Amino acid sequence: MTAYIVRRCLYAVLILIGVNLITFWLFFKVNTPDDMARMQLGAKRVTAEAITRWKAEHGYDKPLIFNAEAAGMSRMTDTLYFQKSLEMFRFNFGQSDDGRDISHEIQTRMWPSLALALPVFLIGLAAYISFALLMAFFRATYIDFWGVVLCIAMMSISGLFYIIGGQYLVAKIWSLVPISGYAPGIDAAKFLFLPVLIGIIGGIGSSARWYRTIFLEEVSRDYVRTARAKGLAETTVFFRHVLKNAMIPILTGAVVAIPLLFMGSLISESFFGIPGLGSYTIEAIQAQDFGVVRSMVFIGSVLYILGLLLTDISYTLVDPRVRFE
Amino acid sequence: MFLPIILWTDALIFVLLAVIAAFAFYARQHEHLRAPWRRVAQTPAAVSAAVVLLAFVAVGFLDSLHFRQAIEPAGNAEAKRPAGAATAYAPEVKSVLDVALAHLSSRTERTYSAPLATHAYAKETMEVPGRGQVRDYPRLRNGGAHLKDAETEWGWDILLTVFKGMGLALFAWSIAAFLLLIAVKPTAPAYASIGAFSDAVWRGKTVVPWRTVLITLGLIFLIVVPATLLARGYHVLGTDKVGQDVLFLSLKSIRTALVIGTLTTLVMLPFAVLFGIMAGYFCGWIDDIIQYLYTTLNSIPGVLLIAAAVLVLQVQMEASPELFPTTAQRADFRLLFLCIILGVTSWTGLCRLLRGEALKLRELEYVQAAQAFGVSHWNIMLRHILPNVMHIVLISVVMDFSGLVLAEAVLSYVGVGVDPSMISFGTMINAARLEMGREPMVWWSLASAFMFMLVLVLAANLFADAVRDAFDPRVRVSPRNRHMAEAAAA
């Protein structure tokens, strides 16, 4: 099993290199530093000197992959690929266009993101599983039918509607919580209440319905029939046997999202003015700050790959049927 | 007198319609394909949703027939224009829908006005003869302009128009219902006469739930006809910040939503199918490469990849403006690019499903028999594997649609969606998101965008569910491709 995990880790590194190459191609080859300079300097009639100066200031005045003018090792190291792309593996992201250190920004903004995403994830998971459990337990009754109808209706509503509607109703009409903003420490709770609630409501439709199908699939298995044939009560069958087995795909499926919780969520952070990584990304996109977008793409990929690794490991832990080849 | 223009997305829409028509023709002749569709047609929710979807598709289709109007030279046209000279065409690209709704788009107000209002939404200082300067709500230029005394006549006028519209709608509906019953009678030969058939429809006893179809059709008529009549004198859904009619904007948004929902899948489908089947059929190093490719693409968070790609595209389009002679062509190109990049981020899910299925199928006897007979790999994949995974493709296509429509709104909010000049639900919501904070509140733009989206997506979801249940109740298409919509909500 150790060999299996080591192999998965090596594969993860390979994928990360692929991601790195794709982002490099997109941000330096398709979109050259000259384009970037012209974009930042604004007008179409930018002089060549201005572009050269901008590139020198921001460290983009190097060849892409191979520096023929340098000597020795710096032929490879004094290039854009090495300085801007490979450095990301050391979590050294350089500076954003307004001169701030991106790594430092990420370290400070990570925590508000987590403070929003973690409760949504944990409470949400519990809520979705309970709702799915309710529908599956009363399967083929009116509770089940209307539950599914509710799920489909809630899936069909745009996530933006939940946010705008929730802000209007809870914050503006009822004045229960502030409309937006953030405070560090324990004060954050009153700012986070509404976004967490909306985050949970927004995901309930698709998740609860998805978990319901998992429960129903498990209910139709042979071991359930055996348990019923033994004379066990339906509640015992459901909560002792079905629930336990259905939790395997549900929990291992949820593991992949855990590292991504650090990334926060783009939309609700920007709507609620929470200074997390999601709103950082949106600001960067709107300001066309390629350095920040590139860093966020890289971090997002690292976290996702980490999630895949955790999924693999959790499968081997909970499901003895997984083979290691 | 006009020059037809086929934009890129128009061409792809026509291709899509042709593909659907060809598939329908093919499916008609094959019982194993007809049976699941018959099951879909027997689900009341699905046929009701299909009727609604058809109404949306009709609007979207009208909006896809583009042309440029000829400009008549001023004065005596015949005399001035030399024989054989090329006609000049207006630079503006219009669609058939634009012409049909010309009375909506041309009658703008100065700024916000509430649905069906006759007076502006905010007070202004005006000169009134005899009373000097007065601060009051000014009359709208077009909203209720036909009324002499707006305060007293307004309510009755609207009530009367609505009743007239409902009467007209019922009349039109009964004609439509009659024609429909005659048209579909041959599909139910069990009933002796048209009378017996309509009696069965009335009691809801037919195999295909025609009563549901008629009720849905009736509801659509009851909404559309009075709204059309009202729209001649009022702004039915109000006007937005720059005074444009919100009903017009909502109707124009439909095409954008449909294009994003369908063309994205059309663009990514060839790659997903080819790579998925190849990976599963060949195994070995081809499988390794394809798996590596999709895991890598999948690792980049979808929204961020889209954002990065669209940012790069923006820069490139700024750099070469000569490629796009009109704004419509520019916006259209960006829409197509958005479809492609959405496709790149969403093909991996389908590819993985197809790979798994092809892995199973290649071990089956009939594939091994074909191999033993020396059938080439391509032919095996095309003739023996592809038809047996088509149900997965179909299910994932219909399931993806609603997620993509919702994703468009989110992406446009982030600023990496459609071109700002293109009317879409996303741009409508984006423009209107600060209006809830105004006093008095401006709710109609947002409400209209959300209502139209809800109806479209709900219909699509109900239809997709029925298709999935009919084609394969055991295939679980996980809600992976809803990740963007979910990321927005979470």
Side-chain angles (χ1 to χ4, degrees), chain B residues 461-483:
Chain B
N461 273 335
L462 290 174
F463 188 70
D465 262 25
V467 170
R468 188 192 53 182
D469 290 347
F471 274 83
D472 196 341
R474 282 167 306 123
V475 168
R476 298 196 312 189
V477 179
S478 81
R480 265 210 58 82
N481 283 318
R482 297 180 195 282
H483 60 279

Side-chain angles (χ1 to χ4, degrees), chain B residues 23 26-44 46-47 207-208 387 390-392 394-395 398 463-473:
Chain B
F23 179 72
Y26 182 78
R28 269 180 71 86
Q29 296 171 332
H30 294 77
E31 177 56 28
H32 68 283
L33 290 171
R34 218 160 48 183
W37 281 112
R38 210 179 291 136
R39 226 171 304 151
V40 173
Q42 288 166 8
T43 320
V47 289
V207 183
V208 177
M390 272 321 265
H391 65 284
I392 299 182
L394 188 81
I395 292 170
V398 291
F463 188 70
D465 262 25
V467 170
R468 188 192 53 182
D469 290 347
F471 274 83
D472 196 341

Side-chain angles (χ1 to χ4, degrees), chain B residues 145-348:
Chain B
H146 59 290
L147 304 176
K148 275 205 200 79
D149 183 9
E151 275 83 8
T152 53
E153 289 175 29
W154 177 74
W156 283 113
D157 186 57
I158 287 178
L159 210 61
L160 211 66
T161 320
V162 169
F163 273 123
K164 219 177 4 175
M166 283 180 161
L168 209 60
L170 286 179
F171 178 65
W173 176 76
S174 39
I175 292 176
F178 181 65
L179 291 177
L180 186 77
L181 285 183
I182 290 179
V184 300
K185 172 69 183 65
T187 62
Y191 298 97
S193 66
I194 188 89
F197 180 58
S198 30
D199 190 50
V201 170
W202 175 253
R203 284 182 290 118
K205 291 276 199 258
T206 45
V207 183
V208 177
W210 290 112
R211 187 171 65 169
T212 317
V213 174
L214 289 179
I215 292 173
T216 316
L217 212 58
L219 286 177
I220 294 177
F221 272 55
L222 277 179
I223 293 170
V224 171
V225 179
T228 318
L229 286 188
L230 280 174
R232 291 194 304 184
Y234 299 93
H235 299 290
V236 179
L237 297 174
T239 54
D240 71 351
K241 191 173 183 185
V242 290
Q244 273 183 302
D245 192 286
V246 173
L247 178 63
F248 173 71
L249 294 179
S250 310
L251 288 174
K252 287 287 282 179
S253 302
I254 291 174
R255 174 177 187 266
T256 318
L258 291 177
V259 165
I260 298 255
T262 53
L263 289 196
T264 301
T265 353
L266 184 75
V267 169
M268 66 100 169
L269 213 52
F271 299 100
V273 171
L274 182 70
F275 286 155
I277 292 180
M278 270 173 68
Y281 179 74
F282 287 119
C283 297
W285 61 272
I286 295 180
D287 185 27
D288 287 340
I289 289 179
I290 293 172
Q291 270 201 73
Y292 175 72
L293 197 70
Y294 73 62
T295 317
T296 308
L297 273 177
N298 207 18
S299 305
I300 306 175
V303 188
L304 286 175
L305 184 62
I306 294 165
V310 171
L311 279 186
V312 169
L313 176 84
Q314 262 174 351
V315 175
Q316 298 300 320
M317 274 169 52
E318 295 284 319
S320 50
E322 72 280 354
L323 285 177
F324 310 103
T326 61
T327 31
Q329 269 158 311
R330 188 191 150 92
D332 181 72
F333 181 77
R334 181 155 167 184
L335 179 65
L336 180 65
F337 185 80
L338 187 66
C339 288
I340 292 173
I341 192 68
L342 268 169
V344 169
T345 56
S346 64
W347 66 282
T348 52

Side-chain angles (χ1 to χ4, degrees), chain A residues 3 19 26-27 37 68 75 80 133 137 150 155 161 166 181 216 220 315:
Chain A
V19 171
L26 199 60
F27 282 102
R75 277 180 175 224
L80 278 181
L133 211 56
F137 188 69
L150 184 72
M155 271 164 61
F161 176 79
L216 289 187
S220 60
Y315 261 120

Side-chain angles (χ1 to χ4, degrees), chain A residues 14 156 206 209 265 270 288, chain B residues 292 314 316 413 461 465 486 490:
Chain A
L14 208 62
S156 307
S206 52
R209 207 169 73 116
S265 61
S270 90
Q288 306 204 319
Chain B
Y292 175 72
Q314 262 174 351
Q316 298 300 320
Y413 170 77
N461 273 335
D465 262 25
E486 268 169 40

Side-chain angles (χ1 to χ4, degrees), chain A residues 118-137:
Chain A
L118 194 62
V120 173
F121 177 75
L122 292 178
I123 303 173
L125 200 61
Y128 306 153
I129 290 175
S130 322
F131 189 36
L133 211 56
L134 182 79
M135 286 191 289
F137 188 69

